[in-house]
């Protein structure tokens, strides 16, 4: 059950969670493959690991990497670091060793939590780079029978791994059991976590988020589920991403919601988990919901426990939302897909569409947040006029690590405070809904006219037979041209071009339509525009 609480956000991230863990300590806090860790057990594990890390010399301000999928050890490690005032450096668990070393050096990281099987072949490289791995065993979070079978399957892979030269998560936990580390004075404005941008639009950056930012996100989302019997959330989104970390883990735990961790998305397994564990909340990206709707097991599952379904990370296609909501209604589910909008610089979400919203907007600001649209000179624009969206939020990042120039360029200061530039072209309607038009960096200029790929995509999505589409630009002979990538049941060139010609100016007409079976995606399921652009440069197809 989620309770309406007076949330104290001016504290460390762990302090906020500890307030909840002391209430009904026998309630489940984190669940993995049906095995639950109670609130008391989570608190004890955090205290023990914090003690173990302190004995190894980890102190306030140190950076420690969490290079793990969604496992219970990742949750414990994160809050143990928050307790002692260290910074959690969240890294995608599939990044190659060379990339991990680069990130750790840039962030001043010495210790790194990692999973034995996923990182076995990377250990030597990490050790040679001067890092100290803390190895977490998959077997430790499995049932006895599953653990034995898993051990037999992975024995060969782990046989030559230099595990003896690493620290053991399990041993650190055991060594610190029963101990209590004196908690340092932690300001809510101290850095709690480093998150790394996907790098799909430029050089990747490391975003510094404070304890306050994480706590204020939980506070701002509380009214969204206030008074509801939520019970549990399926944490499918990775914890190395702000959506997964901030919403699916930190906010959920702060509101007393049992976090069911999913280390790898499988539509069939997710359907089974919703049915078996009566999941109350889902949060994901559009591609995840598309795969769920295609999954026979999901269509057959008992879904009435679902109360909130959040979608973010990429623009949700309006036609698909209608289709998904209709399916939910047929199943007797009193919920709908609610689209969220945000960016990692404000812990990923700052707006959410209200239930029953039929507009094509991406939501209204959450509690305590404000938005405005400005032109190139910084002048605020009235409703209906397009410009760059700015966000004023208590969840604002501290900045980009070791990059003061980029940090300052991302902020706009006025008498109201410090606004974050989103880089998104948007407009507001008369009641304050945010309408997303396009990423500013994705806007294309053709013959001096602004062309918005997302606008073209919205129209193409209304063509019968089109499942997904994506527009990318390329330069040929000094001219900017558009390529339209389509996933469709059949060739629909004529219908697409007729609709574009009828709805938009001639500059929006693609030079080529290229059919695909699927789209390349980033780590969190967004369409990888750069990958498509590279493909486009080497593709020959029909020119219109």
């Amino acid at each position: 059950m989620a309770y309406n609480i007076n949330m104290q956000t001016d504290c460390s991230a762990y302090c906020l969670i500890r307030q909840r863990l002391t209430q009904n300590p026998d309630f489940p806090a984190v669940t993995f493959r049906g095995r639950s860790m109670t609130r008391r057990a989570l608190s004890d594990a955090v205290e023990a690991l914090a003690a173990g890390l302190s004995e190894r010399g980890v102190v306030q301000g140190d950076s420690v990497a969490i290079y793990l999928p969604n496992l219970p050890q990742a949750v414990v490690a994160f809050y143990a670091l928050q307790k002692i005032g260290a910074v959690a450096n969240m890294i995608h668990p599939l990044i190659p060793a060379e990339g991990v070393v680069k990130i750790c050096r840039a962030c001043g990281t010495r210790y790194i939590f990692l999973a034995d099987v996923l990182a076995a072949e990377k250990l030597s490289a990490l050790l040679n780079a001067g890092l100290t791995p803390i190895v977490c065993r998959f077997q430790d979070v499995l049932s006895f029978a599953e653990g034995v079978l898993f051990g037999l399957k992975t024995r060969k892979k782990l046989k030559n791994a230099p595990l003896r030269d690493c620290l053991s998560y399990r041993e650190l936990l055991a060594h610190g059991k029963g101990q209590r580390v004196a908690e340092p004075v932690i300001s809510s404005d101290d850095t709690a976590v480093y998150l790394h941008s996907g790098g799909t639009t430029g050089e990747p950056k490391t975003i510094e988020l404070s304890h306050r930012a994480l706590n204020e996100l939980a506070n701002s989302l509380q009214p969204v589920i206030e008074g509801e019997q939520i019970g549990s959330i399926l944490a499918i989104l990775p914890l190395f991403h702000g959506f997964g970390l901030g919403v699916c883990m930190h906010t959920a735990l702060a509101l007393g919601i049992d976090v069911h961790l999913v280390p790898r998305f499988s539509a069939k397994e997710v359907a089974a988990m919703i049915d078996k564990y009566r999941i109350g909340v889902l949060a994901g990206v559009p591609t995840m919901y598309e795969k769920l709707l295609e999954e026979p097991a999901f269509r057959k599952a008992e879904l009435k426990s679902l109360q909130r379904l959040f979608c973010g990370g990429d623009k949700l296609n309006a036609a698909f939302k209608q289709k998904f909501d209709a399916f939910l209604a047929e199943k007797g589910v009193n919920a709908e897909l609610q689209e969220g909008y945000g960016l990692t610089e404000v812990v990923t979400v700052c707006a959410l569409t209200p239930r029953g919203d039929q507009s094509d907007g991406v939501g209204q600001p959450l509690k305590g947040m404000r938005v405005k649209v400005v032109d190139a000179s910084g002048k605020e624009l009235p409703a209906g006029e397009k410009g760059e969206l700015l966000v004023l939020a208590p969840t604002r990042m501290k900045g980009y690590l070791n990059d003061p120039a980029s940090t300052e360029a991302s902020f706009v200061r006025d008498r109201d405070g410090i606004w974050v530039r989103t880089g998104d072209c948007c407009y507001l309607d008369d009641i304050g809904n945010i309408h997303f038009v396009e990423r500013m960096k994705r806007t294309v200029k053709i013959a001096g006219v602004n062309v918005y790929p997302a606008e073209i995509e919205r129209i193409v999505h209304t063509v019968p037979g089109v499942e997904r589409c994506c527009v990318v630009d390329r330069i040929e002979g000094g001219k900017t041209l558009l390529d339209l990538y389509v996933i469709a049941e059949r060739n629909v060139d004529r219908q697409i071009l007729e609709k574009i010609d009828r709805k938009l100016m001639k500059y929006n007409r693609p030079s080529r339509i290229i059919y695909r079976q699927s789209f390349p995606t980033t780590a969190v399921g967004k369409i990888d525009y750069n990958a498509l652009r590279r493909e486009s440069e080497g593709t020959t197809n029909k020119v219109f």
Side-chain angles (χ1 to χ4, degrees), residues 289-301:
Y289 288 108
E290 289 167 4
K291 289 177 181 177
L292 281 175
L293 197 57
E294 294 169 359
E295 172 56 49
F298 182 71
R299 302 187 71 86
K300 295 176 184 177

Side-chain angles (χ1 to χ4, degrees), residues 295-374:
E295 172 56 49
F298 182 71
R299 302 187 71 86
K300 295 176 184 177
E302 173 55 66
L303 306 175
K304 290 182 181 178
S305 62
L306 291 172
Q307 297 174 58
R308 287 287 194 244
L309 295 97
F310 301 124
C311 185
D314 213 346
K315 187 70 182 79
L316 178 63
N317 175 252
F320 176 77
K321 171 178 162 51
Q322 292 174 2
K323 184 178 179 181
F324 197 95
D325 288 348
F327 165 74
L328 293 176
E330 290 173 9
K331 297 283 287 185
V333 179
N334 184 27
E336 62 186 61
L337 271 184
Q338 290 180 264
E339 186 169 10
Y341 169 83
L343 57 160
T344 309
E345 286 80 350
V346 292
V347 202
T348 71
V349 61
C350 61
L352 184 70
T353 54
R355 296 182 75 164
D357 181 72
Q358 297 300 316
S359 73
D360 64 348
V362 293
Q364 297 178 356
L366 297 173
K367 182 182 79 172
M369 303 188 186
R370 292 170 55 189
V371 298
K372 65 179 179 180
V373 174
V374 300

Side-chain angles (χ1 to χ4, degrees), residues 251-314:
T251 294
L253 289 174
L255 298 179
I257 299 171
D258 181 17
V259 178
H260 285 247
L261 295 167
V262 182
R264 185 180 63 180
F265 175 74
S266 158
K268 186 174 183 179
E269 290 180 10
V270 165
M273 292 181 73
I274 296 170
D275 195 333
K276 184 175 182 179
Y277 302 117
R278 298 295 182 261
I279 299 298
V281 183
L282 277 185
V285 295
T287 51
M288 185 195 88
Y289 288 108
E290 289 167 4
K291 289 177 181 177
L292 281 175
L293 197 57
E294 294 169 359
E295 172 56 49
F298 182 71
R299 302 187 71 86
K300 295 176 184 177
E302 173 55 66
L303 306 175
K304 290 182 181 178
S305 62
L306 291 172
Q307 297 174 58
R308 287 287 194 244
L309 295 97
F310 301 124
C311 185
D314 213 346

Side-chain angles (χ1 to χ4, degrees), residues 287 290 314 461 466-470 485-488 519 521 527:
T287 51
E290 289 167 4
D314 213 346
H461 272 127
V466 173
E467 295 179 14
R468 300 193 76 194
C469 68
C470 180
Y485 282 84
V486 176
I487 298 174
F519 287 149
T521 58
I527 294 176

Side-chain angles (χ1 to χ4, degrees), residues 375-395:
D375 63 15
S377 70
K379 178 186 175 183
E380 186 169 0
L381 298 173
E385 291 197 26
K386 298 173 184 176
E388 183 178 9
L389 185 75
L390 306 186
V391 179
L392 183 68
T395 56

